[in-house]
Amino acid sequence: LVVVEDIFNGIEVFNSSNMYKDKFTTYRSAQLVRKLAGLLKLNINDVESNTDFAKIHIDKRDYLTLMDFKHVKVLSQRDYAEIEERTHIGREVLSRLRINQLSEDIVRSHCHNGFERSFKESDTISMDLRSQLVLLTDIYDALRMDRLYKDEFSHRDAIRIIRDSFSSSFDFQVVDRFIRFESEFRDLYDNFIL
């Protein structure tokens, strides 16, 4: 239990230090993921799974604790199953937080003209479709928002940067759908209400 609790504490520190992804921006990104997954004609279960993954670090934040088991002297099979489920969710949360950090690193690197050198030489985006959907929408979100290291980009500039600098690093269909339906993403982003 101590090891799992340490992992959960580490996730909480990482999640709380993530200054750019509050509930509003996370849910907005999740809606962009839902839209992109739908445009890729994924089945409804995959669309929902991708959307849930995009916001798991917010939705499951309070679930990653072992306080329920602190005073239990002997854990039952049911307790072990619950701890195993929470550990699986913790792994998913870490995966999501890593993608968010990667998107920030990519945009920061691009803004400091280091993108060509540091990003394209690595095999950073050779990841599953779910991760690519989330990463692309996180990059768009990071480009559109003010950051400590840059001013916000307009929608047009964000699309141009994604097309010119990032498109070869993603699965072709993912970027193609995002760019082809860019006005729908702009409207969803600009008009999102929590």
Side-chain angles (χ1 to χ4, degrees), residues 155-180:
H155 167 75
R156 177 179 286 156
D157 287 341
I159 292 297
R160 180 187 49 75
I161 292 167
I162 288 170
R163 183 190 64 235
D164 296 347
S165 299
F166 305 136
S167 62
S168 64
S169 301
F170 286 90
D171 180 278
F172 171 78
Q173 288 187 350
V174 172
V175 177
D176 177 66
R177 294 306 183 290
F178 194 83
I179 292 172
R180 185 179 297 177

PDB file of all heavy atoms in Angstrom, residues 155-180:
ATOM      1  N   HIS A 155      -6.558  31.675 -34.319  1.00  0.00           N
ATOM      2  CA  HIS A 155      -6.918  30.364 -34.864  1.00  0.00           C
ATOM      3  C   HIS A 155      -6.169  30.117 -36.169  1.00  0.00           C
ATOM      4  O   HIS A 155      -5.596  29.039 -36.360  1.00  0.00           O
ATOM      5  CB  HIS A 155      -8.435  30.287 -35.082  1.00  0.00           C
ATOM      6  CG  HIS A 155      -8.844  29.116 -35.905  1.00  0.00           C
ATOM      7  ND1 HIS A 155      -8.868  27.835 -35.403  1.00  0.00           N
ATOM      8  CD2 HIS A 155      -9.210  29.021 -37.210  1.00  0.00           C
ATOM      9  CE1 HIS A 155      -9.242  27.000 -36.352  1.00  0.00           C
ATOM     10  NE2 HIS A 155      -9.460  27.699 -37.462  1.00  0.00           N
ATOM     11  N   ARG A 156      -6.170  31.101 -37.040  1.00  0.00           N
ATOM     12  CA  ARG A 156      -5.506  30.957 -38.345  1.00  0.00           C
ATOM     13  C   ARG A 156      -4.023  30.624 -38.172  1.00  0.00           C
ATOM     14  O   ARG A 156      -3.494  29.746 -38.846  1.00  0.00           O
ATOM     15  CB  ARG A 156      -5.674  32.235 -39.161  1.00  0.00           C
ATOM     16  CG  ARG A 156      -4.941  32.174 -40.496  1.00  0.00           C
ATOM     17  CD  ARG A 156      -5.126  33.421 -41.292  1.00  0.00           C
ATOM     18  NE  ARG A 156      -6.488  33.395 -41.811  1.00  0.00           N
ATOM     19  CZ  ARG A 156      -7.160  34.469 -42.159  1.00  0.00           C
ATOM     20  NH1 ARG A 156      -6.623  35.661 -42.047  1.00  0.00           N
ATOM     21  NH2 ARG A 156      -8.376  34.369 -42.633  1.00  0.00           N
ATOM     22  N   ASP A 157      -3.349  31.326 -37.268  1.00  0.00           N
ATOM     23  CA  ASP A 157      -1.923  31.059 -37.034  1.00  0.00           C
ATOM     24  C   ASP A 157      -1.704  29.681 -36.417  1.00  0.00           C
ATOM     25  O   ASP A 157      -0.745  28.980 -36.768  1.00  0.00           O
ATOM     26  CB  ASP A 157      -1.311  32.134 -36.141  1.00  0.00           C
ATOM     27  CG  ASP A 157      -1.135  33.458 -36.856  1.00  0.00           C
ATOM     28  OD1 ASP A 157      -1.135  33.477 -38.118  1.00  0.00           O
ATOM     29  OD2 ASP A 157      -1.006  34.489 -36.167  1.00  0.00           O
ATOM     30  N   ALA A 158      -2.585  29.285 -35.502  1.00  0.00           N
ATOM     31  CA  ALA A 158      -2.458  27.967 -34.875  1.00  0.00           C
ATOM     32  C   ALA A 158      -2.601  26.861 -35.926  1.00  0.00           C
ATOM     33  O   ALA A 158      -1.819  25.905 -35.935  1.00  0.00           O
ATOM     34  CB  ALA A 158      -3.493  27.794 -33.774  1.00  0.00           C
ATOM     35  N   ILE A 159      -3.567  26.991 -36.818  1.00  0.00           N
ATOM     36  CA  ILE A 159      -3.765  25.999 -37.882  1.00  0.00           C
ATOM     37  C   ILE A 159      -2.545  25.979 -38.808  1.00  0.00           C
ATOM     38  O   ILE A 159      -2.056  24.919 -39.207  1.00  0.00           O
ATOM     39  CB  ILE A 159      -5.058  26.275 -38.669  1.00  0.00           C
ATOM     40  CG1 ILE A 159      -6.283  26.032 -37.772  1.00  0.00           C
ATOM     41  CG2 ILE A 159      -5.135  25.430 -39.939  1.00  0.00           C
ATOM     42  CD1 ILE A 159      -6.448  24.604 -37.283  1.00  0.00           C
ATOM     43  N   ARG A 160      -2.037  27.149 -39.161  1.00  0.00           N
ATOM     44  CA  ARG A 160      -0.858  27.228 -40.030  1.00  0.00           C
ATOM     45  C   ARG A 160       0.338  26.535 -39.375  1.00  0.00           C
ATOM     46  O   ARG A 160       1.054  25.766 -40.013  1.00  0.00           O
ATOM     47  CB  ARG A 160      -0.513  28.690 -40.341  1.00  0.00           C
ATOM     48  CG  ARG A 160       0.704  28.860 -41.256  1.00  0.00           C
ATOM     49  CD  ARG A 160       1.121  30.308 -41.404  1.00  0.00           C
ATOM     50  NE  ARG A 160       1.240  31.047 -40.155  1.00  0.00           N
ATOM     51  CZ  ARG A 160       2.239  30.927 -39.283  1.00  0.00           C
ATOM     52  NH1 ARG A 160       3.222  30.083 -39.511  1.00  0.00           N
ATOM     53  NH2 ARG A 160       2.263  31.653 -38.171  1.00  0.00           N
ATOM     54  N   ILE A 161       0.548  26.778 -38.089  1.00  0.00           N
ATOM     55  CA  ILE A 161       1.666  26.154 -37.377  1.00  0.00           C
ATOM     56  C   ILE A 161       1.492  24.638 -37.331  1.00  0.00           C
ATOM     57  O   ILE A 161       2.450  23.884 -37.583  1.00  0.00           O
ATOM     58  CB  ILE A 161       1.812  26.744 -35.959  1.00  0.00           C
ATOM     59  CG1 ILE A 161       2.277  28.201 -36.050  1.00  0.00           C
ATOM     60  CG2 ILE A 161       2.769  25.912 -35.108  1.00  0.00           C
ATOM     61  CD1 ILE A 161       2.149  28.971 -34.752  1.00  0.00           C
ATOM     62  N   ILE A 162       0.293  24.180 -37.032  1.00  0.00           N
ATOM     63  CA  ILE A 162       0.043  22.731 -37.002  1.00  0.00           C
ATOM     64  C   ILE A 162       0.298  22.145 -38.386  1.00  0.00           C
ATOM     65  O   ILE A 162       0.970  21.120 -38.524  1.00  0.00           O
ATOM     66  CB  ILE A 162      -1.393  22.438 -36.515  1.00  0.00           C
ATOM     67  CG1 ILE A 162      -1.496  22.723 -35.006  1.00  0.00           C
ATOM     68  CG2 ILE A 162      -1.793  21.000 -36.829  1.00  0.00           C
ATOM     69  CD1 ILE A 162      -2.906  22.699 -34.459  1.00  0.00           C
ATOM     70  N   ARG A 163      -0.219  22.777 -39.424  1.00  0.00           N
ATOM     71  CA  ARG A 163      -0.053  22.275 -40.795  1.00  0.00           C
ATOM     72  C   ARG A 163       1.423  22.280 -41.211  1.00  0.00           C
ATOM     73  O   ARG A 163       1.937  21.288 -41.712  1.00  0.00           O
ATOM     74  CB  ARG A 163      -0.875  23.110 -41.766  1.00  0.00           C
ATOM     75  CG  ARG A 163      -0.826  22.600 -43.215  1.00  0.00           C
ATOM     76  CD  ARG A 163      -1.447  23.570 -44.192  1.00  0.00           C
ATOM     77  NE  ARG A 163      -0.666  24.811 -44.198  1.00  0.00           N
ATOM     78  CZ  ARG A 163      -1.188  26.021 -43.977  1.00  0.00           C
ATOM     79  NH1 ARG A 163      -2.468  26.166 -43.735  1.00  0.00           N
ATOM     80  NH2 ARG A 163      -0.419  27.092 -44.000  1.00  0.00           N
ATOM     81  N   ASP A 164       2.093  23.383 -40.984  1.00  0.00           N
ATOM     82  CA  ASP A 164       3.461  23.539 -41.488  1.00  0.00           C
ATOM     83  C   ASP A 164       4.518  22.862 -40.625  1.00  0.00           C
ATOM     84  O   ASP A 164       5.525  22.386 -41.146  1.00  0.00           O
ATOM     85  CB  ASP A 164       3.814  25.026 -41.626  1.00  0.00           C
ATOM     86  CG  ASP A 164       2.959  25.735 -42.662  1.00  0.00           C
ATOM     87  OD1 ASP A 164       2.252  25.058 -43.453  1.00  0.00           O
ATOM     88  OD2 ASP A 164       2.977  26.984 -42.659  1.00  0.00           O
ATOM     89  N   SER A 165       4.316  22.829 -39.336  1.00  0.00           N
ATOM     90  CA  SER A 165       5.369  22.341 -38.442  1.00  0.00           C
ATOM     91  C   SER A 165       5.107  20.966 -37.848  1.00  0.00           C
ATOM     92  O   SER A 165       6.057  20.255 -37.525  1.00  0.00           O
ATOM     93  CB  SER A 165       5.566  23.330 -37.291  1.00  0.00           C
ATOM     94  OG  SER A 165       5.963  24.581 -37.781  1.00  0.00           O
ATOM     95  N   PHE A 166       3.849  20.604 -37.657  1.00  0.00           N
ATOM     96  CA  PHE A 166       3.565  19.377 -36.916  1.00  0.00           C
ATOM     97  C   PHE A 166       2.922  18.271 -37.737  1.00  0.00           C
ATOM     98  O   PHE A 166       2.899  17.129 -37.318  1.00  0.00           O
ATOM     99  CB  PHE A 166       2.650  19.674 -35.725  1.00  0.00           C
ATOM    100  CG  PHE A 166       3.177  20.739 -34.800  1.00  0.00           C
ATOM    101  CD1 PHE A 166       2.342  21.721 -34.318  1.00  0.00           C
ATOM    102  CD2 PHE A 166       4.503  20.760 -34.410  1.00  0.00           C
ATOM    103  CE1 PHE A 166       2.820  22.705 -33.464  1.00  0.00           C
ATOM    104  CE2 PHE A 166       4.988  21.737 -33.556  1.00  0.00           C
ATOM    105  CZ  PHE A 166       4.142  22.706 -33.078  1.00  0.00           C
ATOM    106  N   SER A 167       2.365  18.581 -38.889  1.00  0.00           N
ATOM    107  CA  SER A 167       1.548  17.600 -39.604  1.00  0.00           C
ATOM    108  C   SER A 167       2.309  16.330 -39.973  1.00  0.00           C
ATOM    109  O   SER A 167       1.750  15.235 -39.921  1.00  0.00           O
ATOM    110  CB  SER A 167       0.917  18.216 -40.850  1.00  0.00           C
ATOM    111  OG  SER A 167       1.910  18.636 -41.755  1.00  0.00           O
ATOM    112  N   SER A 168       3.575  16.431 -40.312  1.00  0.00           N
ATOM    113  CA  SER A 168       4.330  15.233 -40.696  1.00  0.00           C
ATOM    114  C   SER A 168       4.626  14.329 -39.497  1.00  0.00           C
ATOM    115  O   SER A 168       5.026  13.179 -39.678  1.00  0.00           O
ATOM    116  CB  SER A 168       5.633  15.630 -41.390  1.00  0.00           C
ATOM    117  OG  SER A 168       6.473  16.332 -40.493  1.00  0.00           O
ATOM    118  N   SER A 169       4.410  14.814 -38.301  1.00  0.00           N
ATOM    119  CA  SER A 169       4.704  14.031 -37.105  1.00  0.00           C
ATOM    120  C   SER A 169       3.513  13.230 -36.598  1.00  0.00           C
ATOM    121  O   SER A 169       3.660  12.392 -35.719  1.00  0.00           O
ATOM    122  CB  SER A 169       5.191  14.960 -35.988  1.00  0.00           C
ATOM    123  OG  SER A 169       6.346  15.645 -36.389  1.00  0.00           O
ATOM    124  N   PHE A 170       2.335  13.493 -37.142  1.00  0.00           N
ATOM    125  CA  PHE A 170       1.121  12.798 -36.739  1.00  0.00           C
ATOM    126  C   PHE A 170       0.634  11.886 -37.861  1.00  0.00           C
ATOM    127  O   PHE A 170       1.013  12.053 -39.015  1.00  0.00           O
ATOM    128  CB  PHE A 170       0.004  13.810 -36.429  1.00  0.00           C
ATOM    129  CG  PHE A 170       0.176  14.540 -35.136  1.00  0.00           C
ATOM    130  CD1 PHE A 170       0.877  15.735 -35.082  1.00  0.00           C
ATOM    131  CD2 PHE A 170      -0.377  14.046 -33.976  1.00  0.00           C
ATOM    132  CE1 PHE A 170       1.029  16.414 -33.901  1.00  0.00           C
ATOM    133  CE2 PHE A 170      -0.239  14.721 -32.770  1.00  0.00           C
ATOM    134  CZ  PHE A 170       0.470  15.904 -32.732  1.00  0.00           C
ATOM    135  N   ASP A 171      -0.253  10.976 -37.503  1.00  0.00           N
ATOM    136  CA  ASP A 171      -0.945  10.183 -38.500  1.00  0.00           C
ATOM    137  C   ASP A 171      -1.637  11.142 -39.473  1.00  0.00           C
ATOM    138  O   ASP A 171      -2.271  12.110 -39.050  1.00  0.00           O
ATOM    139  CB  ASP A 171      -1.978   9.288 -37.797  1.00  0.00           C
ATOM    140  CG  ASP A 171      -2.750   8.428 -38.764  1.00  0.00           C
ATOM    141  OD1 ASP A 171      -3.729   8.945 -39.351  1.00  0.00           O
ATOM    142  OD2 ASP A 171      -2.387   7.255 -38.937  1.00  0.00           O
ATOM    143  N   PHE A 172      -1.522  10.886 -40.764  1.00  0.00           N
ATOM    144  CA  PHE A 172      -2.047  11.789 -41.788  1.00  0.00           C
ATOM    145  C   PHE A 172      -3.524  12.100 -41.574  1.00  0.00           C
ATOM    146  O   PHE A 172      -3.938  13.256 -41.653  1.00  0.00           O
ATOM    147  CB  PHE A 172      -1.827  11.201 -43.185  1.00  0.00           C
ATOM    148  CG  PHE A 172      -2.536  11.986 -44.258  1.00  0.00           C
ATOM    149  CD1 PHE A 172      -2.002  13.189 -44.715  1.00  0.00           C
ATOM    150  CD2 PHE A 172      -3.746  11.546 -44.773  1.00  0.00           C
ATOM    151  CE1 PHE A 172      -2.663  13.934 -45.682  1.00  0.00           C
ATOM    152  CE2 PHE A 172      -4.415  12.281 -45.735  1.00  0.00           C
ATOM    153  CZ  PHE A 172      -3.861  13.476 -46.200  1.00  0.00           C
ATOM    154  N   GLN A 173      -4.340  11.080 -41.317  1.00  0.00           N
ATOM    155  CA  GLN A 173      -5.786  11.297 -41.187  1.00  0.00           C
ATOM    156  C   GLN A 173      -6.134  12.196 -40.009  1.00  0.00           C
ATOM    157  O   GLN A 173      -7.080  12.969 -40.084  1.00  0.00           O
ATOM    158  CB  GLN A 173      -6.519   9.967 -41.064  1.00  0.00           C
ATOM    159  CG  GLN A 173      -6.550   9.193 -42.349  1.00  0.00           C
ATOM    160  CD  GLN A 173      -7.424   7.960 -42.235  1.00  0.00           C
ATOM    161  OE1 GLN A 173      -7.851   7.588 -41.140  1.00  0.00           O
ATOM    162  NE2 GLN A 173      -7.693   7.328 -43.349  1.00  0.00           N
ATOM    163  N   VAL A 174      -5.390  12.094 -38.932  1.00  0.00           N
ATOM    164  CA  VAL A 174      -5.667  12.911 -37.750  1.00  0.00           C
ATOM    165  C   VAL A 174      -5.511  14.391 -38.091  1.00  0.00           C
ATOM    166  O   VAL A 174      -6.410  15.203 -37.851  1.00  0.00           O
ATOM    167  CB  VAL A 174      -4.741  12.517 -36.569  1.00  0.00           C
ATOM    168  CG1 VAL A 174      -4.888  13.481 -35.406  1.00  0.00           C
ATOM    169  CG2 VAL A 174      -5.035  11.084 -36.122  1.00  0.00           C
ATOM    170  N   VAL A 175      -4.383  14.754 -38.675  1.00  0.00           N
ATOM    171  CA  VAL A 175      -4.134  16.161 -39.018  1.00  0.00           C
ATOM    172  C   VAL A 175      -5.039  16.600 -40.164  1.00  0.00           C
ATOM    173  O   VAL A 175      -5.560  17.722 -40.159  1.00  0.00           O
ATOM    174  CB  VAL A 175      -2.647  16.395 -39.367  1.00  0.00           C
ATOM    175  CG1 VAL A 175      -2.404  17.828 -39.804  1.00  0.00           C
ATOM    176  CG2 VAL A 175      -1.779  16.054 -38.183  1.00  0.00           C
ATOM    177  N   ASP A 176      -5.258  15.724 -41.152  1.00  0.00           N
ATOM    178  CA  ASP A 176      -6.120  16.061 -42.278  1.00  0.00           C
ATOM    179  C   ASP A 176      -7.518  16.449 -41.814  1.00  0.00           C
ATOM    180  O   ASP A 176      -8.066  17.472 -42.236  1.00  0.00           O
ATOM    181  CB  ASP A 176      -6.199  14.879 -43.254  1.00  0.00           C
ATOM    182  CG  ASP A 176      -7.142  15.147 -44.405  1.00  0.00           C
ATOM    183  OD1 ASP A 176      -6.842  16.050 -45.215  1.00  0.00           O
ATOM    184  OD2 ASP A 176      -8.183  14.456 -44.482  1.00  0.00           O
ATOM    185  N   ARG A 177      -8.112  15.650 -40.923  1.00  0.00           N
ATOM    186  CA  ARG A 177      -9.467  15.954 -40.429  1.00  0.00           C
ATOM    187  C   ARG A 177      -9.471  17.240 -39.612  1.00  0.00           C
ATOM    188  O   ARG A 177     -10.389  18.046 -39.702  1.00  0.00           O
ATOM    189  CB  ARG A 177     -10.024  14.821 -39.583  1.00  0.00           C
ATOM    190  CG  ARG A 177     -10.299  13.531 -40.292  1.00  0.00           C
ATOM    191  CD  ARG A 177     -11.207  13.691 -41.499  1.00  0.00           C
ATOM    192  NE  ARG A 177     -11.535  12.442 -42.141  1.00  0.00           N
ATOM    193  CZ  ARG A 177     -10.709  11.681 -42.840  1.00  0.00           C
ATOM    194  NH1 ARG A 177      -9.453  12.019 -42.975  1.00  0.00           N
ATOM    195  NH2 ARG A 177     -11.111  10.566 -43.401  1.00  0.00           N
ATOM    196  N   PHE A 178      -8.422  17.426 -38.825  1.00  0.00           N
ATOM    197  CA  PHE A 178      -8.346  18.631 -37.999  1.00  0.00           C
ATOM    198  C   PHE A 178      -8.276  19.877 -38.882  1.00  0.00           C
ATOM    199  O   PHE A 178      -8.980  20.857 -38.642  1.00  0.00           O
ATOM    200  CB  PHE A 178      -7.134  18.564 -37.060  1.00  0.00           C
ATOM    201  CG  PHE A 178      -7.174  19.587 -35.966  1.00  0.00           C
ATOM    202  CD1 PHE A 178      -7.902  19.360 -34.814  1.00  0.00           C
ATOM    203  CD2 PHE A 178      -6.487  20.779 -36.090  1.00  0.00           C
ATOM    204  CE1 PHE A 178      -7.955  20.306 -33.802  1.00  0.00           C
ATOM    205  CE2 PHE A 178      -6.521  21.735 -35.089  1.00  0.00           C
ATOM    206  CZ  PHE A 178      -7.259  21.492 -33.941  1.00  0.00           C
ATOM    207  N   ILE A 179      -7.469  19.840 -39.911  1.00  0.00           N
ATOM    208  CA  ILE A 179      -7.308  21.000 -40.791  1.00  0.00           C
ATOM    209  C   ILE A 179      -8.506  21.161 -41.720  1.00  0.00           C
ATOM    210  O   ILE A 179      -8.994  22.272 -41.941  1.00  0.00           O
ATOM    211  CB  ILE A 179      -5.976  20.899 -41.574  1.00  0.00           C
ATOM    212  CG1 ILE A 179      -4.820  21.058 -40.590  1.00  0.00           C
ATOM    213  CG2 ILE A 179      -5.912  21.942 -42.678  1.00  0.00           C
ATOM    214  CD1 ILE A 179      -3.457  20.795 -41.175  1.00  0.00           C
ATOM    215  N   ARG A 180      -9.008  20.063 -42.243  1.00  0.00           N
ATOM    216  CA  ARG A 180     -10.151  20.133 -43.164  1.00  0.00           C
ATOM    217  C   ARG A 180     -11.385  20.732 -42.486  1.00  0.00           C
ATOM    218  O   ARG A 180     -12.154  21.463 -43.109  1.00  0.00           O
ATOM    219  CB  ARG A 180     -10.474  18.751 -43.696  1.00  0.00           C
ATOM    220  CG  ARG A 180     -11.578  18.780 -44.762  1.00  0.00           C
ATOM    221  CD  ARG A 180     -11.892  17.424 -45.300  1.00  0.00           C
ATOM    222  NE  ARG A 180     -10.715  16.880 -45.968  1.00  0.00           N
ATOM    223  CZ  ARG A 180     -10.679  15.670 -46.484  1.00  0.00           C
ATOM    224  NH1 ARG A 180     -11.727  14.884 -46.400  1.00  0.00           N
ATOM    225  NH2 ARG A 180      -9.594  15.232 -47.073  1.00  0.00           N
TER     226      ARG A 180
END
